[in-house]
Amino acid sequence: MSSSSLLSGALITKWGHFTCSVISLFFTTVGFLLLALISINQNFLFPGYLLISTAGFLGHLMNVQVPRTIPKLTVILMTTFAGLYSASSSSFLAIQYLHDQGYSINSIFCALAILTIVLKLPRILFLTPHHLPKNVSADFSLFRNRVLCNIIEDNEENQMDTTSGASLKTILCEPMIYFICLGYSAFSLRSLTFAAWMGSSWPTWIGGEHFQIALNNFKEYANLLTLSLSFIPGLTITILDRKLSQEGNNFGKAIGLAVFYSLCSVLFVASGILGSFEGEIFGYSSVVTALLGRAFGSLWPTLLLLVYPPKVKTYLKCFSLK
């Protein structure tokens, strides 16, 4: 997953937001259409899922950059997008509900393909620039800098900022990047091991065979917490930044990030401890604390933009380093 995100980030840096948005729209639409055909041939499942996943990486990496165009809401929007990405796994609940209402799988995925075009095409045409500049001014407008406007008006102001920033080699020689990668690795490892727990015999050990399905269903609904709660870190860090940061420093952001990363660590540890006891109440508590930890820990774009301003020509998963 991380290697796919790194590749996606390199493509965004090379080809720009507009081109990658078109690719993302194409992949998503074709992926849904392939999934609509699995009732005819199940071999369409893997390529369809692969296309949708690739489009998701591209879309998320572009989304975490766009908040830079709204400086006052950058942190809030970044954490909200992270919450949306985390909560997206609960979209299967909607598919399951529609299927239970009598809609066929092929009609559901065909409708999703049409909905994707209807929602994403206007954004690509009217709110997508070719590239975001390395330094976004206060009066920067996505609408005025859209690619369509550049083509029609040939507006020189809207051309991409081609000035070179710090090289990737320069960043890789700085020790701070390795501390950040170490922290992100621990966060990812805990998230993945928790997902592995849910798919293993752990729920059965906790509460019996019937509890496997019950706990996984509960997790899908509780996963929506990451969407609602991801707004809290962004809002808190923004307030601390305005109250505590002086001109030229980011003391408020640093305090906010430290608080929420500490909460994330405590909640992840608590989830592991609760999961070591038998009993349904411990299973539910372990799931809730793990999801809370993930919601409070999805602050990596903000951390990277704090440590490294947007000048490095590469991406890591959920990191905006351009």
Side-chain angles (χ1 to χ4, degrees):
M1 183 170 63
S2 296
S3 59
S4 298
S5 299
L6 181 60
L7 176 60
S8 298
L11 293 178
I12 296 170
T13 301
K14 179 69 174 179
W15 294 341
H17 283 244
F18 181 79
T19 302
C20 289
S21 293
V22 173
I23 293 173
S24 177
L25 173 60
F26 176 76
F27 279 7
T28 305
T29 304
V30 174
F32 279 136
L33 293 176
L34 288 175
L35 292 181
L37 297 174
I38 59 176
S39 58
I40 300 174
N41 189 335
Q42 294 183 353
N43 291 327
F44 289 133
L45 177 62
F46 178 74
Y49 176 78
L50 182 62
L51 288 173
I52 293 173
S53 299
T54 303
F57 289 136
L58 281 171
H60 183 59
L61 289 172
M62 287 185 286
N63 284 339
V64 295
Q65 269 209 318
V66 171
R68 292 199 295 112
T69 63
I70 312 176
K72 292 184 178 181
L73 299 176
T74 295
V75 178
I76 296 175
L77 291 176
M78 279 185 172
T79 55
T80 301
F81 281 136
L84 282 168
Y85 189 73
S86 298
S88 62
S89 60
S90 296
S91 59
F92 290 102
L93 292 173
I95 296 174
Q96 182 64 50
Y97 174 79
L98 292 173
H99 186 61
D100 292 341
Q101 297 302 308
Y103 295 96
S104 63
I105 291 295
N106 58 343
S107 62
I108 293 173
F109 284 114
C110 283
L112 287 174
I114 295 172
L115 185 63
T116 299
I117 295 174
V118 171
L119 293 178
K120 295 192 70 171
L121 189 58
R123 175 185 171 181
I124 292 173
L125 293 177
F126 300 111
L127 291 174
T128 303
H130 189 276
H131 276 77
L132 286 178
K134 297 178 181 63
N135 297 305
V136 180
S137 61
D139 59 349
F140 182 85
S141 169
L142 289 173
F143 181 75
R144 290 198 306 268
N145 289 273
R146 66 194 187 277
V147 170
L148 187 63
C149 181
N150 290 347
I151 295 174
I152 296 175
E153 301 178 7
D154 194 23
N155 189 347
E156 293 184 0
E157 287 184 352
N158 299 332
Q159 301 304 313
M160 183 186 79
D161 178 10
T162 57
T163 57
S164 60
S167 66
L168 178 59
K169 181 180 179 180
T170 301
I171 293 299
L172 292 180
C173 290
E174 298 183 23
M176 186 62 68
I177 188 66
Y178 298 102
F179 287 105
I180 294 173
C181 287
L182 180 63
Y184 176 68
S185 298
F187 175 82
S188 298
L189 180 62
R190 183 65 189 99
S191 299
L192 291 174
T193 53
F194 175 72
W197 279 16
M198 298 298 297
S200 67
S201 59
W202 172 69
T204 303
W205 176 78
I206 286 285
E209 293 184 3
H210 70 284
F211 195 57
Q212 176 89 31
I213 297 175
L215 188 61
N216 276 277
N217 287 338
F218 173 78
K219 174 183 172 293
E220 293 304 315
Y221 286 103
N223 198 39
L224 296 173
L225 281 173
T226 58
L227 174 57
S228 56
L229 294 177
S230 62
F231 179 79
I232 296 175
L235 179 61
T236 305
I237 292 172
T238 300
I239 293 173
L240 290 174
D241 184 41
R242 294 176 182 176
K243 296 290 185 181
L244 302 179
S245 295
Q246 303 295 324
E247 185 175 355
N249 67 40
N250 290 292
F251 182 72
K253 286 181 181 177
I255 292 295
L257 286 167
V259 168
F260 282 103
Y261 279 132
S262 298
L263 281 174
C264 172
S265 300
V266 171
L267 288 166
F268 274 168
V269 171
S271 174
I273 294 174
L274 289 169
S276 64
F277 295 97
E278 292 187 66
E280 293 185 3
I281 186 63
F282 292 109
Y284 287 123
S285 300
S286 179
V287 168
V288 171
T289 51
L291 293 178
L292 286 173
R294 190 172 68 179
F296 291 156
S298 299
L299 298 166
W300 301 101
T302 307
L303 176 62
L304 263 293
L305 286 176
L306 174 63
V307 178
Y308 301 106
K311 60 184 180 179
V312 185
K313 297 182 177 179
T314 186
Y315 282 81
L316 298 176
K317 174 164 174 58
C318 299
F319 294 171
S320 180
L321 291 176
K322 179 171 172 259

